[in-house]
Structures are given as structure tokens and as C-alpha cells.
Amino acid sequence: MIRESLAFLAFREDIRERTFLDWLEAHISMGQPLHRYKGLLKLDRDKISFYGTEKKTGNDFRLFIFRHEIMQLYHGFDDAFTALETRNLGLSWKPLRISFTREKTDFHVYLIIDYAFGRTSNEAWMETLKTWLD
């Protein structure tokens, strides 16, 4: 294992289909950022693993993204996860997006890593992932 952290995760569809209550929860004091899953993110030699639970049901969730599936890394806001989705309009953190292809389908996951007191380690993870992909 190369690196491991606590993280929040959401797919692009989760962000686009969020409810007003989801948005409100992400904006109240002491609330967690917009997400669907909460768990442990691990970076290994050949893959990124996420082991967690679904926010509303508590069901277990696992996701494995293999290095060869990754098309793009992006640290910042986009048309799905905008600065308006954050409590401070993105002044202290930005999501980390991993775009990958599996069985001819494109997926986009957003990560908020080591979130505490309005800060993340997304920028450090971005650098680690860029090096890992090279």
C-alpha cells in the first residue's frame, strides 16, 4: 500500500441528482461535504480502492479503479460539482475528480479526502496520483 486516507465519494450522477436536503446538509455548520459514500481510500501499486458505506442506507460499498482504466485526474470544480456545492464557495478546498472507463462506459467520481475543519488533503493526493500514473 502506498497511501491511505478517510474520504467522501460521489459519482457525477449523485451530485447532479442531489436533493435540496442534500445541499442543505452540506452547508450547515459542522455538516459534511456533499457525498454519497464515506469510507477508506487506499492507493496500491495497481489500483485505487474505496471501502465504505452508503450515506442513506448504511449498505457496504466497494469500488476498485485500476490504473489502466483512468483517463483523467482533475482537482477543481466543474459543471457537475460547482463551487456552489460547498459551504465556503470553494475557498478552502476543491474536489478531486477521477474519470475512468470500464467496459466502454465512462465514470466520474469525486473525492473529498481527509476532510476536517473545512480543509482536505486533495491537493497532496492529486500530486501522489499524478506520480503514480507516470
Side-chain angles (χ1 to χ4, degrees), residues 10 18 38 40 43 45-46 67 69 83 99 108 115 134:
R18 64 126 175 101
K38 181 179 181 178
L40 184 65
L43 180 63
R45 187 177 50 80
D46 64 337
R67 183 192 319 230
E69 296 175 319
S99 301
H108 309 277
Y115 181 83
D134 285 339

Side-chain angles (χ1 to χ4, degrees), residues 71-98:
M71 300 178 312
Q72 182 188 50
L73 299 173
Y74 180 72
H75 181 229
F77 297 101
D78 61 15
D79 62 334
F81 202 125
T82 68
L84 294 175
E85 302 297 345
T86 69
R87 186 173 328 143
N88 62 4
L89 297 176
L91 296 175
S92 62
W93 65 269
K94 296 171 182 57
L96 174 59
R97 184 185 73 214
I98 300 174

Side-chain angles (χ1 to χ4, degrees), residues 30-96:
M30 302 304 287
Q32 298 173 337
L34 191 59
H35 69 284
R36 182 171 177 188
Y37 305 98
K38 181 179 181 178
L40 184 65
L41 183 69
K42 291 184 177 186
L43 180 63
D44 292 306
R45 187 177 50 80
D46 64 337
K47 70 182 178 299
I48 299 167
S49 305
F50 181 86
Y51 304 91
T53 56
E54 205 271 341
K55 178 179 168 180
K56 293 180 180 164
T57 65
N59 291 337
D60 288 343
F61 174 79
R62 290 186 179 150
L63 176 66
F64 303 103
I65 304 170
F66 292 90
R67 183 192 319 230
H68 69 272
E69 296 175 319
I70 296 174
M71 300 178 312
Q72 182 188 50
L73 299 173
Y74 180 72
H75 181 229
F77 297 101
D78 61 15
D79 62 334
F81 202 125
T82 68
L84 294 175
E85 302 297 345
T86 69
R87 186 173 328 143
N88 62 4
L89 297 176
L91 296 175
S92 62
W93 65 269
K94 296 171 182 57
L96 174 59

